[in-house]
Amino acid sequence: MRSNLANKYRPQEFSEVVGQSSIVKILEQQVEQQAYKHAYLFCGPTGCGKTTLARILASKINNGLNGLEELDAASNNGVDNVRNIVKSAKERSVDSTYKIFLIDECHAISSAGWNAFLKCIEEPPTYTIFIFCTTEVNKVPATIINRCQRYNLSKISTSAIVDRLKYICNQEQFTYTDEAINYISKVSDGGMRDAISRLEKVVSLSTNVNIDNTLAALGSYSYDIFFDLVNAIIDGNEQEIIEIIGTMYYYGSDLQLFINELFKFCLDITKYTIFQNMELLEIPITYEDNIKNSINFDDASKYYMIITNKLLELKNTLKTETNLRASIEIALLNISRWE
Ligand SMILES: Nc1ncnc2c1ncn2[C@@H]1O[C@H](COP(=O)(O)OP(=O)(O)OP(=O)(O)O)[C@@H](O)[C@H]1O
Ligand SMILES: [Mg+2]
């Protein structure tokens, strides 16, 4: 079995880390000058490199030697877990200069746990370094935050994700099209782990990463259906609307997800009517001509805005609906009457 790609391509060196460049620079400098802080806090969105950076920093501090203790606070969040760490922190490491504690997902630590930490972080034993990571810094007590050197990692740009995915494809000898890689990168919304996991899903279907395989593997709907449906709504073609929903229903599609995707699709087209720029859209670039055809009438922007708004309402009402198919039919027919 192929190993998990996100783990396989977890950077081992600062130079491999994508984005986060100013943070990487500062940390490299600290390593160079061996001027470390007693406590670090890495916060930011999921899958953008917090744990990765923490591990690289730890390995640089100890020259690749041991001395790193990791605690996954998501499952070990109690005061006893913290007491064990505090106790261990007081004992000098035997096989490395520093004893380093990586407390991952630290927002999960209980308040009793934080209290047990506080003194130790205020006056840390020499040669002890704490690195906290979290996606939810608002749940970390201010008293702790104030005592850490805090770094805010950011989402990774689509173009940087594109480059990384292409690198992985080349290493793994997957074939790919730019269109598919762009699509995966855009829908991953700045999360590198998400992007790599999506790529992995696609290659488990086929190592030919083109847009058709990508849409099929990710369970995304073919864009042709969305174009047909939206054009039918604009034209008031009620029969076609009912037929398309019927087809989706009989194919066993998740209708709620379908409407969510249709909403995103219409929002994308609305954006296109404003900016005439595919860069901002999730819809793959090869569909630009279809988009142009679909908005080739007076006041297109206004119409798409209305559809998008109504779909947003529908999306919310569906959460509590039991007969999805009927609710969707009624809602779309209503929109298509344009009175
Ligand atoms: N900045 C990055 N550069 C290169 N790869 C990255 C980067 N960020 C994440 N990755 C990829 O995503 C995987 C997960 O990254 P990491 O564990 O560092 O995320 P995280 O920020 O700790 O996320 P979480 O909040 O979910 O724990 C890594 O194994 C790596 O493959
Ligand atoms: Mg992490």
Side-chain angles (χ1 to χ4, degrees):
M1 212 179 94
R2 189 178 289 121
S3 72
N4 172 328
L5 284 181
N7 280 341
K8 181 168 176 191
Y9 288 92
R10 185 191 288 281
Q12 306 292 327
E13 296 289 334
F14 283 127
S15 58
E16 291 173 63
V17 174
V18 176
Q20 326 299 3
S21 58
S22 49
I23 298 175
V24 168
K25 213 167 179 178
I26 296 171
L27 296 178
E28 278 180 321
Q29 244 163 40
Q30 293 188 2
V31 171
E32 202 177 297
Q33 299 164 358
Q34 301 196 347
Y36 309 117
K37 306 292 166 189
H38 282 296
Y40 293 84
L41 174 62
F42 293 138
C43 33
T46 182
C48 67
K50 298 180 296 297
T51 305
T52 302
L53 267 182
R55 288 193 186 154
I56 298 176
L57 176 64
S59 105
K60 293 293 165 196
I61 293 175
N62 276 337
N63 264 322
L65 296 172
N66 286 332
L68 175 65
E69 287 186 28
E70 284 196 36
L71 178 84
D72 178 12
S75 40
N76 309 283
N77 59 359
V79 64
D80 290 342
N81 302 109
V82 176
R83 285 207 184 109
N84 285 338
I85 291 181
V86 171
K87 184 163 167 271
S88 165
K90 289 179 183 152
E91 298 153 8
R92 184 83 196 266
S93 169
V94 284
D95 52 7
S96 62
T97 318
Y98 286 89
K99 211 165 201 182
I100 304 171
F101 296 89
L102 169 50
I103 321 290
D104 220 344
E105 316 292 339
C106 73
H107 51 266
I109 291 179
S110 64
S111 57
W114 282 122
N115 280 336
F117 248 133
L118 200 55
K119 178 126 189 349
C120 186
I121 291 168
E122 248 173 353
E123 295 164 29
T126 2
Y127 297 110
T128 300
I129 294 173
F130 291 99
I131 310 177
F132 295 97
C133 295
T134 181
T135 44
E136 295 173 66
V137 71
N138 55 318
K139 291 190 183 156
V140 179
T143 44
I144 300 287
I145 297 179
N146 294 338
R147 288 166 176 81
C148 294
Q149 187 166 74
R150 172 175 172 177
Y151 295 98
N152 295 322
L153 280 76
S154 40
K155 287 186 177 183
I156 300 169
S157 73
T158 303
S159 65
I161 294 183
V162 165
D163 291 344
R164 185 71 176 168
L165 293 186
K166 286 184 179 174
Y167 169 80
I168 294 175
C169 285
N170 290 331
Q171 292 293 312
E172 298 287 323
Q173 302 187 325
F174 304 146
T175 51
Y176 62 84
T177 63
D178 285 353
E179 184 185 15
I181 297 292
N182 279 330
Y183 177 80
I184 296 173
S185 305
K186 278 185 192 170
V187 296
S188 301
D189 190 29
M192 185 66 94
R193 186 200 291 108
D194 279 2
I196 299 175
S197 309
R198 286 198 169 92
L199 175 68
E200 183 149 37
K201 220 166 163 187
V202 178
V203 298
S204 65
L205 174 75
S206 161
T207 54
N208 180 11
V209 185
N210 60 25
I211 193 70
D212 287 340
N213 289 336
T214 301
L215 293 177
L218 299 183
S220 312
Y221 297 95
S222 151
Y223 280 93
D224 297 329
I225 294 253
F226 292 140
F227 279 109
D228 289 347
L229 182 53
V230 163
N231 290 338
I233 294 174
I234 302 249
D235 296 340
N237 186 343
E238 301 185 346
Q239 198 178 334
E240 170 101 359
I241 295 173
I242 298 294
E243 276 172 14
I244 292 177
I245 300 169
T247 310
M248 299 313 296
Y249 179 77
Y250 285 114
Y251 275 118
S253 295
D254 175 341
L255 289 179
Q256 198 158 355
L257 188 70
F258 178 69
I259 293 300
N260 287 349
E261 298 288 307
L262 180 65
F263 163 74
K264 280 202 279 178
F265 172 85
C266 290
L267 182 60
D268 261 6
I269 299 200
T270 309
K271 284 186 194 160
Y272 189 88
T273 62
I274 301 169
F275 297 106
Q276 279 88 49
N277 181 352
M278 293 297 287
E279 272 296 296
L280 304 162
L281 277 51
E282 281 186 11
I283 304 173
I285 193 141
T286 36
Y287 286 96
E288 186 161 16
D289 285 342
N290 300 52
I291 296 183
K292 283 183 179 158
N293 283 335
S294 297
I295 61 171
N296 186 14
F297 61 96
D298 287 345
D299 287 335
S301 178
K302 209 174 83 191
Y303 280 86
Y304 277 98
M305 191 69 198
I306 294 173
I307 300 181
T308 311
N309 263 319
K310 300 243 165 153
L311 286 174
L312 180 61
E313 280 169 29
L314 175 61
K315 202 161 89 82
N316 291 328
T317 53
L318 287 184
K319 284 178 193 157
T320 52
E321 278 297 335
T322 44
N323 191 342
L324 295 179
R325 182 181 178 188
S327 311
I328 293 171
E329 283 174 344
I330 281 290
L332 298 193
L333 289 179
N334 254 324
I335 307 177
S336 75
R337 294 210 165 172
W338 298 112
E339 274 133 25

